[in-house]
Amino acid sequence: MLLFLSEALSLRSKLCLSDTKVYFKLRKQILMKERSLADFSISELLIYLQTSQNLPKMLSLLFVSFVVPLGLPLVIVTMILYPQIVLTRHFWTSQQINQVQLNELNKNKIILKQLLEINKNFVNQLPIEFSQLSKLNNLPKIEELSFLQLYLLKRLYKVSPLSFGSNALIQHIYILQLLDQKMLGDQNKTLSGDELRLHLYLRKLNYDKMDIESMRILLNKWLQNCSELPLSTYAFSPCLLQK
């Protein structure tokens, strides 16, 4: 049993390290202007997006483990009992990943409601249908949003609230839209249930109680209608579509 756990931990650690290496490689390529975000593949965009969100957790884990007195024993106990709190997704089971995603999506309902209340004057009737998203042309640009709107959107998309201004949020939305554009087509027919749940979660679309076919239909509707939207409309779409 211990051997099995050790091997599993080793494998998951390698996966985490591999993604981290890829992330910093991609960052270097961007900084050196060797490639742009648009040049990245779907898998590279997913790694870039998710690892950037995991880095604060990884750095916090290292700090607590090696700087805080008695931090390492506390971290070890928490890793065993609640891996989703201190470890990245690489160490979670499929069930834990799904539960974390659903919990967050359900908590996001409060944020979506707040965003909806703030922007109700820009849309005549809510919620709207996917086909109506492209007709919205009066939503404020992301860089023109109020501090509260920017804060709520950063919370929604798990962009660090400490990031200065709107640039980090704009980049996050841009990456999501690049994913949409690259995922358009028949390849979505082969996505597994876990992959569908991940893609809906990243786009903040609640898939609670949906079967695989319903999730696939929802994702395809999103891809077909949102891949060319203005970034601001894209960012607000989850709250505009919420029923």
Side-chain angles (χ1 to χ4, degrees):
M1 182 65 177
L2 289 176
L3 179 60
F4 173 78
L5 290 174
S6 176
E7 290 177 349
L9 182 61
S10 175
L11 174 61
R12 292 170 185 267
S13 297
K14 289 178 181 178
L15 291 173
C16 180
L17 182 60
S18 174
D19 279 2
T20 305
K21 286 181 177 179
V22 170
Y23 170 79
F24 282 108
K25 177 183 177 182
L26 297 175
R27 287 276 298 172
K28 181 181 178 182
Q29 289 175 340
I30 291 175
L31 292 173
M32 299 296 291
K33 297 184 178 180
E34 297 172 353
R35 298 173 74 193
S36 67
L37 288 168
D39 297 323
F40 293 171
S41 65
I42 291 175
S43 61
E44 287 175 328
L45 286 171
L46 285 172
I47 289 173
Y48 192 89
L49 195 64
Q50 293 179 279
T51 304
S52 63
Q53 294 178 337
N54 286 333
L55 278 177
K57 177 181 286 189
M58 295 164 66
L59 294 174
S60 299
L61 179 63
L62 290 173
F63 177 81
V64 173
S65 299
F66 299 107
V67 178
V68 176
L70 299 178
L72 185 57
L74 177 62
V75 167
I76 292 174
V77 172
T78 309
M79 285 170 57
I80 296 172
L81 298 178
Y82 306 102
Q84 62 270 38
I85 294 178
V86 296
L87 297 176
T88 65
R89 68 190 186 282
H90 306 89
F91 299 89
W92 307 347
T93 64
S94 294
Q95 291 80 6
Q96 288 171 330
I97 291 174
N98 183 43
Q99 193 58 55
V100 168
Q101 290 177 172
L102 277 179
N103 286 344
E104 186 178 320
L105 287 172
N106 287 323
K107 289 178 181 178
N108 282 346
K109 290 178 181 178
I110 298 174
I111 300 176
L112 294 173
K113 186 176 180 180
Q114 291 173 301
L115 287 169
L116 202 59
E117 182 64 26
I118 294 172
N119 292 284
K120 63 182 180 181
N121 294 330
F122 293 103
V123 184
N124 294 328
Q125 187 175 358
L126 292 168
I128 67 174
E129 299 297 327
F130 274 103
S131 58
Q132 296 176 287
L133 288 172
S134 61
K135 300 175 183 177
L136 298 176
N137 53 18
N138 57 347
L139 286 170
K141 295 180 179 180
I142 293 179
E143 53 268 34
E144 298 172 352
L145 295 177
S146 67
F147 175 83
L148 177 59
Q149 287 176 301
L150 201 57
Y151 170 74
L152 290 173
L153 283 173
K154 285 181 178 180
R155 281 187 59 196
L156 178 66
Y157 288 102
K158 293 183 70 67
V159 174
S160 173
L162 300 178
S163 58
F164 181 75
S166 59
N167 289 341
L169 178 62
I170 289 174
Q171 184 185 72
H172 185 93
I173 300 301
Y174 176 60
I175 292 173
L176 285 175
Q177 202 160 41
L178 284 176
L179 269 173
D180 288 356
Q181 294 165 6
K182 293 176 183 291
M183 289 178 64
L184 277 170
D186 294 337
Q187 61 182 337
N188 297 321
K189 294 179 180 179
T190 63
L191 292 178
S192 67
D194 286 341
E195 289 172 324
L196 287 168
R197 282 184 277 270
L198 171 62
H199 283 292
L200 292 175
Y201 163 74
L202 290 175
R203 292 159 178 84
K204 306 310 170 189
L205 300 174
N206 200 325
Y207 58 82
D208 194 12
K209 299 178 182 178
M210 285 188 178
D211 58 26
I212 289 181
E213 190 55 33
S214 298
M215 290 191 292
R216 200 180 307 280
I217 290 172
L218 177 58
L219 179 60
N220 283 331
K221 281 185 178 180
W222 177 274
L223 297 178
Q224 291 164 8
N225 290 279
C226 300
S227 62
E228 300 296 337
L229 290 176
L231 292 181
S232 180
T233 307
Y234 190 104
F236 283 107
S237 289
C239 76
L240 299 175
L241 295 165
Q242 181 183 227
K243 296 182 180 180

